[in-house]
Amino acid sequence: MLKYRSRGQSIDRVFHALADPSRRVIVERLSRGPTSVSDLARPLPMSLPAVVQHLQVLETSGLVRSEKIGRVRTCQIEPAALRPVEQWISARRSDWERRLDRLGDYLAESDDEPPEAGTR
């Protein structure tokens, strides 16, 4: 149970981090490769301190890692942080596919049965 709880908390942090459109833009940019904080901030309609706050949320979630070399902080994506989320979504998809398959089978069976006497 404890293992599930910590995994669930990590999934919650990732969903929380990705819930903000600005953070999704940052993740999208970082998916093309590492870049400096100032380069990340340049196209965004917000201040550099606001971008840093968004990066802190992304780092806390495990989606982003940063490293400071000299005066430049460079950020990069951590794709492994998405694995638990991908597994969670995949499990939900599998559940719903099984349910819909069973519903399809049920509906196909009911189409094959002749109508009962007195019903149309």
Side-chain angles (χ1 to χ4, degrees):
M1 180 78 174
L2 185 58
K3 182 177 178 183
Y4 174 76
R5 173 168 275 177
S6 70
R7 181 175 160 191
Q9 289 171 347
S10 110
I11 290 172
D12 292 346
R13 284 192 300 269
V14 172
F15 277 126
H16 169 74
L18 294 175
D20 185 276
S22 297
R23 290 194 285 266
R24 289 193 304 270
V25 167
I26 292 170
V27 168
E28 187 68 31
R29 169 55 190 91
L30 290 174
S31 68
R32 294 188 301 245
T35 191
S36 69
V37 173
S38 58
D39 286 344
L40 279 173
R42 194 167 292 123
L44 296 172
M46 65 183 74
S47 67
L48 184 60
V51 171
V52 170
Q53 286 181 330
H54 284 298
L55 285 169
Q56 288 173 343
V57 172
L58 289 166
E59 284 190 70
T60 299
S61 74
L63 284 169
V64 170
R65 181 170 51 99
S66 70
E67 176 181 39
K68 188 169 185 177
I69 300 175
R71 294 174 53 186
V72 178
R73 180 166 293 281
T74 302
C75 300
Q76 66 182 22
I77 193 107
E78 286 291 333
L82 289 172
R83 267 191 216 108
V85 174
E86 182 182 11
Q87 291 169 347
W88 184 86
I89 290 171
S90 179
R92 303 297 74 70
R93 182 184 309 120
S94 295
D95 287 345
W96 277 105
E97 286 173 351
R98 278 194 303 277
R99 290 175 185 180
L100 291 173
D101 287 345
R102 285 195 319 252
L103 175 61
D105 292 346
Y106 173 77
L107 293 175
E109 287 174 13
S110 65
D111 285 346
D112 294 340
E113 295 175 10
E116 293 181 20
T119 61
R120 233 183 154 162

